[in-house]
């Protein structure tokens, strides 16, 4: 058996979960919110096209990474080739 990992373009699909976040629970117990690969792809496309982001951009991340937006925003910046 070959131990070399292969790259399969269908390994991750848009319906696969990338993260599960918990709400703050302001009305009751916190609720889990699943985030799919397709959500991240859409957000990346939206921000890159609307803000014309490129590999020349530099980003300062001020939000804590345990919040959804604080984690996703630096990932979107890295996906454009910029640095955080």
């Amino acid at each position: 058996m070959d131990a070399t990992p292969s790259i399969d373009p269908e390994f991750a699909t848009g319906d696969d979960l990338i993260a599960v976040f918990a709400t703050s629970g302001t009305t009751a117990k916190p609720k889990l919110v699943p985030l799919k690969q397709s959500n991240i792809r859409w957000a990346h496309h939206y921000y890159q096209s609307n803000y014309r982001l490129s590999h020349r951009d530099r980003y300062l991340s001020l939000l804590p990474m345990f919040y959804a937006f604080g984690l996703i925003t630096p990932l979107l910046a890295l996906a454009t080739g910029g640095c955080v």
Side-chain angles (χ1 to χ4, degrees):
M1 182 172 170
D2 186 9
T4 306
S6 63
I7 298 174
D8 182 0
E10 292 298 319
F11 179 73
T13 67
D15 288 332
D16 290 336
L17 292 180
I18 193 167
V20 177
F21 293 101
T23 65
S24 61
T26 55
T27 59
K29 288 192 222 177
K31 296 163 189 69
L32 298 179
V33 180
L35 190 62
K36 294 181 179 181
Q37 298 265 354
S38 58
N39 299 125
I40 299 299
R41 281 191 230 134
W42 180 87
H44 174 256
H45 173 73
Y46 175 82
Y47 285 107
Q48 187 173 18
S49 62
N50 284 314
Y51 296 109
R52 298 184 186 112
L53 303 175
S54 75
H55 66 280
R56 292 184 294 254
D57 293 317
R58 304 295 178 255
Y59 305 89
L60 175 62
S61 181
L62 299 174
L63 298 172
M65 295 187 83
F66 53 82
Y67 289 115
F69 197 68
L71 176 64
I72 300 303
T73 305
L75 294 177
L76 296 175
L78 293 173
T80 64
C83 66
V84 179

